[in-house]
């Protein structure tokens, strides 16, 4: 199976596909995540760059724990696709990137019994580049790692 990195920057949707343990009495949650991404690239020193958005995917797993009834911690491992399309020099060029992202999220939220709940999420993320390549009509696919 070949992996085609595409583009990310803005996570448009992330869907929890398989939560294994999410009961209130279970303090640890585990699940699988998948979503759609859209990204583009910009450069401060290139006024000629005409980068367009490219679509990609994000998928991975998460592990979470409630520390108190209102406070929780979650760590994820996600493979995400990023990049852009460029038509600066007359030909179509795609820049495709793949990353392994590890976000650590702190969640604070209400535990009221009514139907309205709120949650606030914050935390750092570290990313490791897995793949970087350009694809164009002249040179084909070129690894730029």
């Amino acid at each position: 199976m070949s992996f085609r990195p595409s583009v990310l920057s803005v996570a448009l949707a992330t869907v929890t596909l398989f939560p294994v343990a999410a009961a209130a009495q279970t303090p640890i949650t585990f699940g699988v995540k998948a979503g759609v991404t859209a990204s583009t690239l910009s450069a401060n020193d290139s006024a000629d760059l005409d980068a367009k958005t490219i679509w990609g995917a994000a998928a991975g797993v998460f592990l979470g724990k409630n520390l108190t009834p209102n406070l929780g911690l979650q760590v994820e491992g996600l493979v995400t696709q990023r990049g852009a399309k460029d038509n600066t020099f007359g030909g179509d060029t795609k820049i495709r990137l793949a990353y392994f992202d590890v976000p650590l999220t702190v969640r604070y939220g209400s535990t009221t019994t009514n139907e309205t709940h709120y949650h606030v999420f914050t935390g750092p993320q570290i990313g490791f580049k897995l793949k970087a390549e350009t694809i164009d009509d002249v040179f084909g696919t070129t690894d730029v790692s």
Side-chain angles (χ1 to χ4, degrees):
M1 174 175 150
S2 92
F3 177 72
R4 270 184 75 180
S6 156
V7 180
L8 171 76
S9 270
V10 179
L12 294 180
T14 301
V15 180
T16 302
L17 297 176
F18 182 61
V20 174
Q25 63 270 49
T26 306
I28 295 178
T29 58
F30 172 78
V32 177
K33 296 179 86 168
V36 178
T37 64
S39 69
T40 190
L41 301 173
S42 64
N44 293 335
D45 59 349
S46 177
D48 296 334
L49 185 66
D50 186 25
K52 304 290 186 217
T53 300
I54 192 167
W55 294 86
V61 295
F62 67 88
L63 180 66
K65 178 163 177 56
N66 290 329
L67 305 174
T68 70
N70 292 337
L71 187 66
L73 188 64
Q74 181 168 302
V75 65
E76 302 176 19
L78 303 170
V79 175
T80 57
Q81 300 174 322
R82 305 174 188 177
K85 290 186 252 182
D86 184 35
N87 195 7
T88 301
F89 301 108
D92 289 332
T93 301
K94 291 183 183 176
I95 302 163
R96 296 184 181 263
L97 309 168
Y99 279 81
F100 179 69
D101 293 321
V102 183
L104 178 61
T105 307
V106 176
R107 176 191 45 82
Y108 179 79
S110 69
T111 58
T112 60
T113 58
N114 62 17
E115 294 181 19
T116 304
H117 299 276
Y118 70 90
H119 296 282
V120 177
F121 300 89
T122 187
Q125 171 177 300
I126 186 168
F128 303 95
K129 182 177 62 170
L130 300 174
K131 189 174 189 180
E133 64 185 11
T134 60
I135 302 168
D136 63 37
D137 299 334
V138 177
F139 299 107
T141 301
T142 305
D143 184 15
V144 292
S145 297

